Amino acid sequence: MDLLATTSTVAVSCYALLSTVYKSLQALYATPPNAPTPSGEPTYTAATLPSVDVIVPCFNEDPDTLAACLQSISTQDYSGELRVYVIDDGSANRALLEPVHTIFATDARFSFILLGKNVGKRKAQIAAIRRSTGDLVLNVDSDTMLAAGVVTKLALKMQNPEVGAAMGQLTASNRNDTWLTRLIDMEYWLACNEERAAQARFGAVMCCCGPCAMYRRSALLLLLDQYESQFFRGKPSDFGEDRHLTMLMLKAGFRTEYVPDAIAATVVPDKMGPYLRQQLRWARSTFRDTFVGLRLLRDLDSYLTLDVVGQNIGPLLLALSSIMAFAQLAITGTVPWWTIVTIASMTIIRCGVAAFRARQLRFIGFSLHTPINIALLLPLKAYALCTLSNSDWLSRKVASVPAAEEEQAAVKNPSVRRSAAEGAHFAPAVRAADLSRRAGRLAATDSACGGE
């Protein structure tokens, strides 16, 4: 039975070595350089800012949440031309959403596209992209609120013609709801300000996250057909659209960037069930596009190879050491102290470094993520790897919409008649301002404490 202890010790030691090298370099590269912007790059002025089309796909969204999202977009201080396309993807609750549509349709910048049946987020995005004409395209999820200046900050990053896509920093708008939302908010901070920030040093952010990502239209149009018709093992694949589009940008030779002070607050799962279903979907998407991304590594900096190894081999070593440790305890009755102490030490060090970099002691509580990772997320990733051909959204329900509505055109600026009886229906938009201000305060707090 010494084989169990030896295997666990070797696996966890390799995990510790790999993680130490990977996380040390990640922290180094995540620190923004002090070098000035190259003078050869063009500089936008208020008069020459590119036009931006904001694309907001919506499916069965809560009216309050959608209103808060649109409110945050409508109050952006972008001095260039801004247009907003809201695509209702066959929502079953469209009657509840129509008052929100009506309010924002009074703004000449807003257009609404009503699809008669649910076609999925990717095709809904493409429907709006093909109608729009802006120089830049900003994809925003319907449960996401943008802090002031997000459009401007992302557009300024796109002034380099080599940049095909750029993403902002994500926070959880509902982070104070439960212990899980607090944990996810810290997970987002680490993913953005460690992983993405380090990748951005080499112009190769591997996933420009869907809630807030900007693309150059000229590049997007070159890739739109590939983006629309993604297949895996001969079957259509319609989730993980953000990662896949990012990979297409990198394959086409464009840079992908991260803008830490362009902050977007998005709604995250507040219960374990929806969280695990989301993680399963993301794991499948990550594995699928990692296989595609392997071919890119030879043209990218060697750190990106280490990044892929650290994110994929690291969890494998952790899973192996944990399985062997549990087997050792169950079969021999001996406690695998070396494995326990090593994993605990790695956790404490990582959380301590995060707390120092973010200037927030709450990151010490991210230690809770380690047992959840070992007990739930690692088995889930193993299941995802074994079921890569499954393209079920898990949380999506297709809405039933009358066929007569299937080909509805964009709705622009309908007349608004508000009777006293309609007042209650407009309450979501009234509350939107409060929700938007709350997101702004949250973004400002994170920017001050954790922004790079």
Side-chain angles (χ1 to χ4, degrees), residues 35 96 389 402:
L96 296 177
S389 296

Side-chain angles (χ1 to χ4, degrees), residues 20-347:
T20 299
V21 174
Y22 170 44
K23 290 299 180 181
S24 297
L25 286 175
Q26 186 179 78
L28 174 65
Y29 291 132
T31 303
N34 295 320
T37 302
S39 57
E41 292 184 4
T43 301
Y44 290 148
T45 65
T48 60
L49 281 169
S51 56
V52 176
D53 292 330
V54 184
I55 309 295
V56 186
C58 168
F59 178 69
N60 288 349
E61 190 59 83
D62 175 77
D64 280 8
T65 304
L66 178 62
C69 170
L70 301 186
Q71 177 75 8
S72 73
I73 296 171
S74 70
T75 56
Q76 288 292 302
D77 57 355
Y78 188 65
S79 56
E81 184 180 0
L82 184 71
R83 290 183 294 268
V84 185
Y85 293 84
V86 184
I87 313 96
D88 186 290
D89 187 18
S91 295
N93 66 337
R94 185 174 290 171
L96 296 177
L97 297 173
E98 283 178 354
V100 179
H101 294 179
T102 303
I103 290 175
F104 287 96
T106 60
D107 187 330
R109 299 171 299 174
F110 280 73
S111 298
F112 289 81
I113 301 172
L114 309 180
L115 302 181
K117 62 180 180 180
N118 177 246
V119 297
K121 179 180 177 181
R122 186 178 309 202
K123 291 186 181 298
Q125 285 177 338
I126 292 172
I129 291 169
R130 293 194 188 282
R131 290 173 184 252
S132 63
T133 58
D135 300 315
L136 304 174
V137 174
L138 175 62
N139 286 339
V140 177
D141 282 353
S142 58
D143 60 357
T144 299
M145 292 173 284
L146 306 182
V150 164
V151 175
T152 300
K153 291 167 183 174
L154 290 175
L156 290 175
K157 175 61 72 172
M158 302 291 289
Q159 66 181 313
N160 182 348
E162 295 181 358
V163 177
M167 65 167 284
Q169 179 177 177
L170 301 183
T171 67
S173 61
N174 58 332
R175 79 174 180 196
N176 293 323
D177 287 359
T178 68
W179 65 270
L180 181 59
T181 58
R182 291 183 177 90
L183 201 66
I184 295 173
D185 182 69
M186 290 185 279
E187 187 177 14
Y188 278 16
W189 190 95
L190 291 166
C192 290
N193 292 294
E194 288 188 350
E195 179 186 319
R196 266 63 167 192
Q199 293 169 351
R201 179 68 72 91
F202 307 100
V205 172
M206 293 297 189
C207 179
C208 290
C209 299
C212 179
M214 181 174 281
Y215 300 90
R216 188 177 305 280
R217 173 177 293 279
S218 57
L220 192 57
L221 292 179
L222 293 174
L223 305 170
L224 209 55
D225 289 339
Q226 297 179 63
Y227 176 54
E228 185 173 13
S229 56
Q230 180 186 2
F231 289 87
F232 184 79
R233 294 178 179 172
K235 297 181 180 180
S237 175
D238 64 352
F239 58 66
E241 69 288 331
D242 47 4
R243 182 176 293 274
H244 184 63
L245 184 53
T246 305
M247 287 295 175
L248 291 177
M249 284 285 176
L250 290 171
K251 284 178 63 179
F254 291 98
R255 293 174 61 89
T256 54
E257 298 284 358
Y258 168 59
V259 183
D261 57 348
I263 299 174
T266 190
V267 178
V268 301
D270 58 1
K271 293 182 175 63
M272 187 60 70
Y275 173 66
L276 292 178
R277 288 193 293 272
Q278 179 195 68
Q279 292 298 306
L280 176 58
R281 192 170 67 247
W282 287 359
R284 285 174 178 154
S285 167
T286 299
F287 284 132
R288 291 180 183 184
D289 283 296
T290 294
F291 295 144
V292 175
L294 291 176
R295 286 170 284 182
L296 294 171
L297 294 178
R298 64 176 180 270
D299 299 322
L300 300 174
D301 189 271
S302 56
Y303 168 77
L304 278 307
T305 300
L306 175 62
D307 185 77
V308 171
V309 171
Q311 292 194 51
N312 291 275
I313 304 301
L316 177 63
L317 292 171
L318 179 60
L320 178 61
S321 60
S322 300
I323 292 171
M324 293 298 102
F326 282 125
Q328 177 187 341
L329 180 62
I331 296 174
T332 68
T334 58
V335 178
W337 288 112
W338 176 252
T339 299
I340 294 174
V341 170
T342 301
I343 294 176
S345 300
M346 297 296 295
T347 299

Side-chain angles (χ1 to χ4, degrees), residues 369-391:
H369 186 268
T370 295
I372 293 176
N373 185 34
I374 293 174
L376 297 175
L377 298 183
L378 289 179
L380 182 143
K381 289 178 180 179
Y383 176 72
L385 190 59
C386 296
T387 57
L388 284 181
S389 296
N390 189 333
S391 293

